[in-house]
Amino acid sequence: MFKSLLAASVAAVALGAFTPLSAQTAQDPSATPDARADALIARMTRADKLQIVFGYLGTDDESRNGYHRPPLALDGSAGFVPGNPRLGIPPQWQTDAGLGVATQGVARVKRLRTSLPAGIATVSTWDPALARKGGAMIGDEAKRSGFNVMLAGGVNLLREPRNGRGFEYGGEDPLLAGVMVGEQIAGIQSNGVVATIKHYALNDQETERDKSSNAIIDHGALRTSDLLAFQFGIEHGAPGSAMCSYNYVDGLRACENPMLLTQVLRHDWNWPGYVMSDWGATHSTVAAANGGLDQESGFPFDVKPFFGAPLAAAVQSGTVPEARLTEMARRIVRSMLRHGVFDTETSDRSDTIDYAAHAEVTRVDAEAGAVLLQNRNGLLPLAASVKSIAIIGGHADKGVLAGGGSSLVYPRGGNAVPGLKPDTWPGPVVYHPSSPMAAIRRLAPNADVRFADGSDPAAAAALARSSDVAIVFGTQWAGESFDVALTLDGKQDALIDTVAAAQPKTVVVLETGGPVLTPWASRVGAVLEAWYPGTAGGEAIANLVFGKVNPSGHLPATFPASLDQLPHTEAPHGGDVHYSEGAAVGYKWYDAKGFKPAFPFGHGLSYTSFRFSRLKASPSADGLTASVTVTNTGRRAGAAVPQVYLSAPSGVQWEAPRRLGGWAKVMLAPGETRTVTIPIDPRLLATWDEPGHRWNVAAGAYGVTVGASAGDLGERTSVSLPARTIAVGWRPASALRP
Ligand code: GLC
């Protein structure tokens, strides 16, 4: 009898029936993340905690002293952190990144998955629901590919339009970037995947990013620009993690910077997530751990396993307090618990991915994110009855360009244009096999559609001349670890001029990573910025060119008229980078200087037209609320993006004449009128008060202007507000629970 009872109880314990209360709490989805994390931590030994703060590269890499990934890591992946079976803590399978499930370039076998268009394209939709939907899609592919951490949510401001990674991010305005990237993060995490807002902070260019680059900026300006973007992103997405960046900030490495990692994220914002390093961005044990880094990523990218044996020794000696190690581990497990990693199965079920449905998601995103910059004489949309079309350049007969680096999603169907250089990091140069020309042929089946690759401008011009219309594809390959010129690659500007001289009905379709100079704009008919349009980019471009879809994208970044309009006319460089423009990033700089760009922030044309009227603004509990009436004055349905810009009261100094305060995106039938309400966050009315460590809203009359862009402003009104202070950790009621 006794034996059988003993056997039964042993079995029961093994089955968890008699697990200690804390273990039950830890596994109880109905308990709060904090309660579950506390229960887990109570059972973790020092060794358990040390294990969870140390991450490995998830890919074999012979070039790193013959490195082989841990056995359970998913080959080709960015990272892996072992789990803890005794405590029921799952491993952390980490994948890149913001456009979909990426594969490390050194991996022998690539995961072929669906790619969203570039991050800057998603932000160009100005449609938070679309951003969230795209995040949900790539998070689904991550989860079904066996990942539960997605290193996505790049929100670095486009201070430097030549930033090679600008295509991954959200443009130049903190509100637009933070809201849109935050919504993408929320979408990703809806799959039981922890997302990572990055690269924290001021990794706003690639030159010397992991060597000497030291971002220097006034602290109040930092709070009102890059940090505000992260703050909005955290409030909209509740990311479980943040990735500290390679660069220095005011002389301290970001991953050992107490101001960034402890003061701002924890004390000011009360953010409960964990900070992981970028891959190779950990440079110390004690300074990093005590500064606020919780997890070292991607060993052997770092020169030493700083959070391996050295951390154990530091905790043993007390130079890193045991309590700090406990907090590091607790933040990690709490984020995993908060975002469903414990409660949802993580395994490779990639055979269940619905690629057809996902292609639709990325195509709709690309269509809504393309920006019609110019359309003289209504050249677009083309009629399906057009008789002949010259397609020129940009490998448009084969596919659409993708950006380089860790965010690259390798396409199903393979690289449409293999062999382009560089074919090693930060390459390869990849074209998604979604041919604009093939899609155009499908929409104009009776047209004579011919291709010239652009290598012979005279031949291209001859083809253009003999056609009804010419479509020239202009490309700029950008990518991680390098910055770019503000121009199309090679001699494409000259090619465009040559074609336009031969064919006045010339359309330019741009596939770029960000703004470029457009010296030929006055000599062409229409210009469509498609960015890197992702897996279904060819179809998206064709649908826009033929008007199956009405363009509704708006620029999240200013297109300069010349380089001397930039705050930094010299090319990006290493060493100290003085961001003397402060918070006057992008359009704010142009407004402050009185510069007229080629195409302003917020600009985007439609095949219909809109009128904004009856602007009103009134104080609200939080800040203020604006309302505007939008009318579709054209003959076809379309989506308008009324933008509300704020101005300081007289006598109050902001960084620039105007700040984006809010916007709406509204689809209207021809002749339809609708009034939209736009809430304005109070911090956008405030200045940072360093001594008071808070925001101050001055008493006075605030200007409220509605516009179709920062350069096309309409009705203006004003609202008188009383003085108020806003605590540094204030969050709107709408903020997502962290
Ligand atoms: C890279 C990138 C980062 C990426 C990580 C893992 O260097 O900076 O965005 O998530 O390493 O690949």
Side-chain angles (χ1 to χ4, degrees):
M1 162 60 170
F2 176 69
K3 274 190 178 172
S4 60
L5 195 59
L6 178 64
S9 60
V10 166
V13 168
L15 292 172
F18 289 102
T19 42
L21 178 63
S22 61
Q24 286 169 349
T25 306
Q27 301 304 333
D28 175 4
S30 66
T32 67
D34 285 301
R36 297 175 74 184
D38 290 339
L40 262 182
I41 282 294
R43 300 175 62 215
M44 289 176 86
T45 64
R46 182 185 293 177
D48 295 331
K49 298 170 191 172
L50 285 166
Q51 175 181 282
I52 205 168
V53 301
F54 186 73
Y56 297 86
L57 175 64
T59 301
D60 296 343
D61 188 343
E62 292 302 325
S63 71
R64 296 180 190 273
N65 300 320
Y67 172 78
H68 289 285
R69 70 185 189 281
L72 290 180
L74 296 177
D75 193 15
S77 67
F80 175 77
V81 180
N84 189 317
R86 176 174 62 79
L87 297 172
I89 300 174
Q92 296 158 58
W93 287 285
Q94 302 168 322
T95 183
D96 280 313
L99 310 187
V101 175
T103 305
Q104 294 286 305
V106 294
R108 286 172 299 99
V109 178
K110 307 293 196 252
R111 268 177 200 81
L112 309 181
R113 295 292 186 271
T114 307
S115 177
L116 284 172
I120 198 168
T122 296
V123 177
S124 297
T125 70
W126 295 57
D127 184 341
L130 217 48
R132 184 181 284 237
K133 193 169 181 181
M137 184 271 279
I138 62 173
D140 175 75
E141 293 204 0
K143 193 74 171 181
R144 292 175 191 272
S145 300
F147 296 105
N148 52 21
V149 178
M150 191 164 216
L151 307 169
V155 73
N156 296 82
L157 286 190
L158 197 69
R159 286 180 175 281
E160 170 53 76
R162 293 164 290 197
N163 182 351
R165 293 189 84 171
F167 74 93
E168 294 185 50
Y169 303 150
E172 62 196 31
D173 180 78
L175 177 68
L176 179 65
V179 169
M180 295 297 288
V181 173
E183 291 297 327
Q184 185 197 52
I185 287 171
I188 290 168
Q189 296 190 140
S190 67
N191 293 281
V193 173
V194 172
T196 313
I197 195 165
K198 69 186 185 180
H199 301 85
Y200 185 72
L202 281 165
N203 183 175
D204 294 350
Q205 63 177 56
E206 289 299 286
T207 304
E208 291 264 317
R209 63 174 180 165
D210 54 352
K211 298 182 182 66
S212 63
S213 184
N214 176 26
I216 296 171
I217 189 170
D218 165 77
H219 188 70
L222 175 58
R223 290 273 183 172
T224 319
S225 55
D226 283 73
L227 290 186
L228 193 55
F230 274 91
Q231 203 167 3
F232 286 136
I234 287 171
E235 290 165 7
H236 279 261
S241 177
M243 184 187 290
C244 53
S245 54
Y246 289 117
N247 55 291
Y248 293 82
V249 175
D250 291 333
L252 271 182
R253 288 185 184 278
C255 291
E256 47 195 56
N257 192 310
M259 178 276 285
L260 288 175
L261 307 184
T262 301
Q263 178 62 45
V264 172
L265 275 179
R266 282 150 198 175
H267 297 166
D268 292 349
W269 298 349
N270 195 25
W271 179 69
Y274 68 99
V275 177
M276 64 165 73
S277 72
D278 201 340
W279 269 236
T282 305
H283 294 274
S284 66
T285 297
V286 176
N290 290 344
L293 180 63
D294 299 309
Q295 188 179 68
E296 175 179 15
S297 308
F299 183 76
F301 267 62
D302 296 317
V303 294
K304 276 174 61 180
F306 293 104
F307 279 17
L311 181 60
V315 173
Q316 183 59 33
S317 69
T319 51
V320 172
E322 180 87 41
R324 175 67 190 119
L325 175 64
T326 300
E327 185 199 17
M328 293 159 71
R330 186 187 181 285
R331 283 176 172 273
I332 296 167
V333 295
R334 186 207 180 272
S335 285
M336 293 170 73
L337 288 159
R338 165 70 179 82
H339 296 293
V341 170
F342 278 66
D343 307 319
T344 54
E345 170 65 25
T346 300
S347 60
D348 188 340
R349 295 168 287 129
S350 47
D351 57 341
T352 65
I353 292 174
D354 186 345
Y355 290 109
H358 292 180
E360 172 82 6
V361 171
T362 182
R363 178 177 57 72
V364 169
D365 193 0
E367 287 166 350
V371 184
L372 183 58
L373 297 177
Q374 179 179 299
N375 191 22
R376 294 181 199 287
N377 308 318
L379 176 55
L380 291 180
L382 299 183
S385 58
V386 63
K387 290 185 176 49
S388 55
I389 305 172
I391 306 282
I392 297 163
H395 298 286
D397 59 330
K398 296 277 191 331
V400 289
L401 185 57
S406 60
S407 71
L408 176 64
V409 179
Y410 286 84
R412 298 173 68 237
N415 184 353
V417 187
L420 297 176
K421 296 297 180 195
D423 51 13
T424 56
W425 177 267
V429 178
V430 168
Y431 276 74
H432 290 291
S434 171
S435 158
M437 185 165 83
I440 285 168
R441 280 185 165 145
R442 285 193 291 274
L443 294 183
N446 303 319
D448 175 14
V449 180
R450 295 189 201 175
F451 180 68
D453 67 8
S455 59
D456 176 349
L463 177 62
R465 189 177 297 111
S466 66
S467 304
D468 286 348
V469 64
I471 306 177
V472 189
F473 286 77
T475 61
Q476 172 208 50
W477 185 67
E480 183 175 343
S481 80
F482 66 100
D483 295 313
V484 292
L486 213 69
T487 60
L488 297 178
D489 293 338
K491 301 188 173 70
Q492 297 181 83
D493 284 342
L495 172 64
I496 291 168
D497 268 328
T498 304
V499 170
Q503 172 54 265
K505 290 185 178 179
T506 290
V507 177
V508 175
V509 176
L510 296 175
E511 295 175 15
T512 66
V516 291
L517 297 178
T518 52
W520 30 260
S522 61
R523 298 185 284 278
V524 301
V527 184
L528 178 71
E529 172 62 77
W531 312 111
Y532 301 143
T535 290
E539 289 79 8
I541 290 168
N543 288 341
L544 290 159
V545 164
F546 279 90
K548 276 190 73 177
V549 173
N550 189 358
S552 65
H554 288 257
L555 290 180
T558 305
F559 276 51
S562 65
L563 280 179
D564 55 26
Q565 289 187 335
L566 300 183
H568 307 275
T569 50
E570 76 285 3
H573 53 79
D576 289 354
V577 183
H578 291 271
Y579 287 126
S580 48
E581 72 278 8
V585 179
Y587 68 94
K588 295 174 181 173
W589 170 262
Y590 289 77
D591 285 350
K593 294 293 182 183
F595 293 159
K596 183 173 175 10
F599 300 104
F601 174 86
H603 174 69
L605 301 177
S606 170
Y607 294 147
T608 186
S609 52
F610 300 101
R611 181 178 64 246
F612 302 151
S613 61
R614 299 173 57 200
L615 172 65
K616 295 189 177 67
S618 54
S620 67
D622 276 349
L624 66 81
T625 300
S627 70
V628 63
T629 297
V630 186
T631 303
N632 180 342
T633 53
R635 292 201 299 271
R636 59 170 294 161
V641 179
Q643 300 147 41
V644 170
Y645 291 90
L646 308 169
S647 309
S650 60
V652 176
Q653 187 63 37
W654 282 0
E655 70 279 1
R658 276 173 296 283
R659 294 169 175 172
L660 178 70
W663 76 90
K665 187 164 196 176
V666 53
M667 174 61 83
L668 296 169
E672 184 182 0
T673 288
R674 200 179 310 164
T675 297
V676 291
T677 299
I678 300 168
I680 307 290
D681 186 294
R683 290 164 292 187
L684 294 168
L685 297 161
T687 51
W688 174 252
D689 169 4
E690 181 58 19
H693 205 69
R694 63 191 180 190
W695 300 98
N696 282 339
V697 177
Y702 287 80
V704 180
T705 305
V706 64
S709 77
D712 178 6
L713 301 174
E715 285 184 25
R716 189 185 195 282
T717 184
S718 72
V719 180
S720 289
L721 295 175
R724 67 174 281 202
T725 59
I726 302 168
V728 66
W730 179 88
R731 297 159 56 88
S734 59
L736 217 49
R737 177 172 53 86

